[in-house]
Amino acid sequence: MSFFEQTKDGSQVENIYQYGNNNSFAKSVLNDGGDIHPLIIPSSLTNGTGLMNPSILNIDGKLVVNIRHVNYTFYHSEKKLFQHPWGPLTYLHPENDMHLRTENYYCELDDEFEISRFNKIDTMKFDTYKPMWDFVGLEDARLMEWNGKLYTSGVRRDTTENGQGRMELCEIEVREDTVVEVARWRIHPPNDKNSYCEKNWMPIIDQPFKYVKWCNPVEVVKVSETPTEDKVFDSNWVESETVHLQTSGNFLDKDPRGGSQVIPYGDNYLTLTHDVDLFKSETGRKDGVYRHRFILFDKNWNIVKHSKDFSLMNGHTEFAAGMCHYKDKILITFGFQDNAAFVLEVNPETIEKILG
């Protein structure tokens, strides 16, 4: 039976979820009565280059979204039929700028999931240094509200000559006509201070300054110094500490990483992670396939359930960076091929079926 066949037999529909990498989760959501909405801001602001990897947050019934905008167009030859001379995966960027730059847009959604407000986040207060790496800006920023303040948190790799990645925690302030970054802290990893690239830590929505850092084994970290507004960029490092590390139990067969935020889900916690299989094409060029899975934790951070890995829209490059409760739905935000951003309205029954 094809995954795309719609059947009247509930057991057959459940069997669809067993097909792992052949799945299209978005199609499952639509079949189960959910919906999908594109997230678009005017191309006059972006020069038509990619919108991607949005993160969503429900603040007392108001939906806010961070959308990542990049200055390049990403091309991937899905069936390897029309490959670029540089390989199946290519970044097309301005000829006069060899950097891959990220800027972030704060957006608000109306009841129809249309963008009713959008502002590029003003980061000029802290962008006073010369970038030293090819990737510039805060990448894949997740949204959270902790202790009444709004934050983004993602990875930045432009502060060293070797592209060392560190998670950053950024407080943003929403004003009448602007959105401004008012504080920025760069987070030391808890154990190996010399690790090369820390990224994709998943903020725990209802536990301020805590993240799920890894899922295999499960590691939860906490920013151990309370951020204060008198920090400046040259001295903005804060420490983190491991507050939970799994030593036994359900270790997964892959290395799932963030992912969405971690949200309360009944008596448990739910998150959406990604796995990436990187490999070389037949001509020796870089290629890769991203797949996602749900992970359900109990309150002691044991893995209660996890789904098989699946595709969001049957593309090779897909990335989910947001999830929240909204009315009777779960909302999931993701990017497709670094060129499009979407929000999925998901019935909880769909998640229950895929968790099994």
Side-chain angles (χ1 to χ4, degrees):
M1 181 181 69
S2 167
F3 175 74
F4 297 103
E5 290 178 1
Q6 179 66 38
T7 72
K8 296 181 180 179
D9 185 331
S11 63
Q12 288 181 317
V13 173
E14 289 186 7
N15 287 338
I16 289 175
Y17 291 92
Q18 306 304 314
Y19 292 160
N21 288 350
N22 293 322
N23 278 5
S24 165
F25 180 67
K27 183 69 175 181
S28 303
V29 169
L30 297 177
N31 285 344
D32 290 346
D35 210 343
I36 187 169
H37 309 274
L39 297 171
I40 301 172
I41 59 177
S43 60
S44 59
L45 298 176
T46 64
N47 294 317
T49 50
L51 297 176
M52 58 187 289
N53 302 359
S55 183
I56 194 166
L57 182 67
N58 181 348
I59 304 177
D60 298 326
K62 180 172 74 174
L63 294 177
V64 299
V65 174
N66 183 85
I67 302 179
R68 179 182 175 187
H69 167 242
V70 292
N71 71 330
Y72 60 82
T73 295
F74 176 86
Y75 172 74
H76 186 261
S77 178
E78 287 290 285
K79 296 184 179 180
K80 312 299 182 285
L81 297 178
F82 303 104
Q83 296 191 31
H84 191 278
W86 292 341
L89 185 156
T90 307
Y91 298 92
L92 307 175
H93 52 73
E95 292 184 358
N96 62 350
D97 187 357
M98 300 299 290
H99 295 89
L100 303 178
R101 299 182 184 273
T102 290
E103 55 190 16
N104 290 286
Y105 281 83
Y106 167 91
C107 303
E108 296 177 0
L109 305 185
D110 62 21
D111 291 339
E112 303 299 321
F113 298 94
E114 297 285 342
I115 294 177
S116 58
R117 172 180 176 165
F118 53 88
N119 297 93
K120 185 170 75 171
I121 298 176
D122 180 353
T123 60
M124 291 181 61
K125 178 179 179 180
F126 302 100
D127 291 342
T128 57
Y129 60 99
K130 182 179 180 180
M132 291 183 281
W133 187 248
D134 294 341
F135 304 124
V136 178
L138 186 70
E139 302 176 29
D140 300 331
R142 284 80 172 175
L143 280 168
M144 54 276 192
E145 185 184 44
W146 282 337
N147 295 341
K149 294 183 178 181
L150 186 59
Y151 296 93
T152 62
S153 189
V155 64
R156 185 181 296 273
R157 303 187 62 186
D158 58 16
T159 66
T160 62
E161 293 182 350
N162 69 344
Q164 183 186 64
R166 288 294 179 264
M167 292 295 295
E168 290 191 345
L169 176 64
C170 309
E171 183 187 345
I172 61 174
E173 189 174 280
V174 181
R175 300 173 182 173
E176 183 176 359
D177 298 315
T178 60
V179 178
V180 180
E181 182 184 25
V182 297
R184 180 187 297 181
W185 302 276
R186 196 161 172 83
I187 304 173
H188 278 302
N191 301 308
D192 182 6
K193 296 293 193 294
N194 296 315
S195 65
Y196 176 60
C197 192
E198 300 288 340
K199 61 189 301 188
N200 295 323
W201 296 11
M202 297 182 288
I204 304 170
I205 287 298
D206 65 347
Q207 297 193 30
F209 308 115
K210 286 186 179 180
Y211 300 80
V212 173
K213 183 177 184 290
W214 300 116
C215 293
N216 192 24
V218 180
E219 181 179 4
V220 179
V221 301
K222 184 180 186 301
V223 175
S224 56
E225 180 181 348
T226 302
T228 58
E229 292 184 359
D230 60 356
K231 296 286 184 179
V232 294
F233 184 80
D234 290 338
S235 60
N236 76 330
W237 285 97
V238 292
E239 300 294 329
S240 67
E241 59 180 329
T242 298
V243 294
H244 173 83
L245 181 63
Q246 181 184 14
T247 57
S248 63
N250 189 351
F251 290 85
L252 303 174
D253 58 344
K254 289 190 176 182
D255 186 20
R257 306 182 181 191
S260 69
Q261 307 100 319
V262 181
I263 66 171
Y265 190 78
D267 294 328
N268 300 301
Y269 282 110
L270 181 70
T271 195
L272 180 59
T273 66
H274 82 278
D275 312 320
V276 58
D277 292 322
L278 296 174
F279 54 91
K280 299 289 186 180
S281 71
E282 65 275 11
T283 57
R285 302 291 187 175
K286 177 183 176 181
D287 205 352
V289 177
Y290 286 71
R291 291 294 179 256
H292 287 71
R293 74 174 73 211
F294 288 103
I295 296 181
L296 190 68
F297 305 99
D298 66 19
K299 292 299 176 70
N300 295 315
W301 301 109
N302 300 301
I303 295 178
V304 178
K305 291 182 180 180
H306 63 84
S307 71
K308 294 185 178 180
D309 55 344
F310 56 85
S311 168
L312 295 169
M313 282 183 26
N314 279 339
H316 280 194
T317 304
E318 307 170 322
F319 192 85
M323 183 163 60
C324 72
H325 295 276
Y326 183 67
K327 297 181 179 178
D328 60 344
K329 299 287 199 305
I330 300 292
L331 303 184
I332 294 171
T333 47
F334 68 95
F336 182 79
Q337 303 288 59
D338 286 11
N339 282 305
F342 297 95
V343 55
L344 272 173
E345 286 185 84
V346 185
N347 286 313
E349 294 80 5
T350 305
I351 296 175
E352 291 299 320
K353 282 193 289 187
I354 199 169
L355 279 172

